[in-house]
Amino acid sequence: MRELFLKLFSMSHFNTGISITAFSIPHIVYLVLIFGGVVAAWFALRKKDAQVKEKAMRFLAYALALSYLSDFFVHDFVYGEMNIDKLPFHICTVLCPLTCIAQFNRNGNKIKEPIVLLAVLAPMMYLCYPASIGDGEPWCYQAVQTMFYHGVLMAWGILNLALGVVKPDLKNCWKAAVLLVGITLWAKLGNLLLEHNWFFLEEDAFYIGLVEGGIIPKWLLMIVNPIVFFLAVLAEYGVCYALRGKKVKV
């Protein structure tokens, strides 16, 4: 039985040598499927009532949690041990529990706006440049699970905005700033305890050696990373206001 599972969850099934690298054909195919799925969902739901839209958002949140939690049960077959990189210290992985809190907690609406905005940005950045997806074949479990997880997370964020479930208000941008500070400190705690590089606070996201080469001090990443994300959030507010045809009121 174990040998069967090792085969099912192996990185390669046909020894094709094909893998998902940035802007390769498999990568582009995944992007078309994911973004196409989001657009199709929007067309299917845009004229539905609020209750149906809410059920759809809950379904995506359930799918996200199931994908994330079930993944830990097969790490032994995929990686030979637990992959600590998938612990909830990266911005994308910590957004799973945060998404569930925002979606299912009765007070979740108070924190839902910044979580939705980050749920659009963070997985979109990863999907556009999946640097850590591994060298498995595009149809292997690791590739499918990773792209599915990020795709569902992004879909939840985009559809909340596109369907009007969440209507961003620039006056609430401080909530995103507070959330990003919290995520940064949380990731730093994980890095100190487990000696990893969550939220890319130990080395730059592209691993070009900015810290190791002495080009920038490591502490600077704790400032730069959340600021970059916050600026992206502000840009996202601008896009939302432009699409809604509203003037910004502060």
Side-chain angles (χ1 to χ4, degrees):
M1 180 64 75
R2 178 173 174 80
E3 292 301 319
L4 173 61
F5 272 68
L6 287 171
K7 183 62 177 178
L8 289 174
F9 292 100
S10 66
M11 298 295 188
S12 174
H13 296 98
F14 305 107
N15 297 318
T16 62
I18 303 173
S19 62
I20 301 177
T21 55
F23 314 116
S24 63
I25 292 178
H27 178 210
I28 293 171
V29 170
Y30 264 111
L31 290 180
V32 171
L33 291 174
I34 291 169
F35 283 97
V38 174
V39 172
W42 178 75
F43 272 107
L45 294 168
R46 62 195 176 106
K47 294 183 179 180
K48 302 294 184 179
D49 59 39
Q51 187 176 9
V52 173
K53 293 176 181 178
E54 183 65 20
K55 286 182 178 180
M57 296 307 99
R58 291 175 69 87
F59 173 80
L60 288 175
Y62 279 125
L64 184 73
L66 179 62
S67 174
Y68 182 68
L69 294 175
S70 63
D71 183 51
F72 286 96
F73 289 92
V74 298
H75 278 199
D76 181 51
F77 305 113
V78 181
Y79 309 104
E81 60 184 357
M82 188 181 79
N83 182 3
I84 67 169
D85 192 55
K86 293 197 173 187
L87 290 174
F89 291 102
H90 272 311
I91 188 166
C92 284
T93 50
V94 78
L95 279 172
C96 179
L98 290 177
T99 292
C100 291
I101 292 172
Q103 186 65 57
F104 300 117
N105 189 281
R106 62 181 180 180
N107 296 316
N109 283 332
K110 296 179 180 179
I111 60 171
K112 194 171 186 177
E113 183 175 321
I115 294 173
V116 164
L117 293 170
L118 289 180
V120 174
L121 289 174
M124 185 179 295
M125 290 178 180
Y126 181 86
L127 289 170
C128 289
Y129 192 79
S132 61
I133 197 169
D135 56 0
E137 292 174 332
W139 43 80
C140 76
Y141 169 82
Q142 182 197 26
V144 173
Q145 191 277 333
T146 302
M147 299 301 275
F148 177 83
Y149 174 84
H150 287 86
V152 170
L153 177 59
M154 186 184 70
W156 180 82
I158 290 177
L159 291 173
N160 265 295
L161 297 175
L163 295 172
V165 179
V166 172
K167 298 179 180 179
D169 187 340
L170 187 60
K171 291 183 290 186
N172 294 327
C173 69
W174 64 270
K175 294 182 179 180
V178 171
L179 179 59
L180 284 166
V181 170
I183 291 174
T184 301
L185 295 175
W186 175 244
K188 187 61 178 180
L189 174 63
N191 291 339
L192 291 172
L193 293 176
L194 298 173
E195 298 182 346
H196 201 61
N197 186 32
W198 284 296
F199 201 24
F200 306 108
L201 299 178
E202 305 299 309
E203 186 54 90
D204 64 276
F206 297 103
Y207 288 97
I208 58 178
L210 295 182
V211 173
E212 185 179 1
I215 300 174
I216 61 172
K218 184 166 65 174
W219 60 263
L220 189 60
L221 293 175
M222 288 193 65
I223 299 174
V224 171
N225 289 3
I227 287 178
V228 168
F229 267 94
F230 183 66
L231 292 175
V233 167
L234 292 180
E236 196 174 358
Y237 272 108
V239 171
C240 290
Y241 272 88
L243 292 176
R244 284 156 50 188
K246 293 179 61 175
K247 294 181 179 179
V248 177
K249 295 181 181 180
V250 181

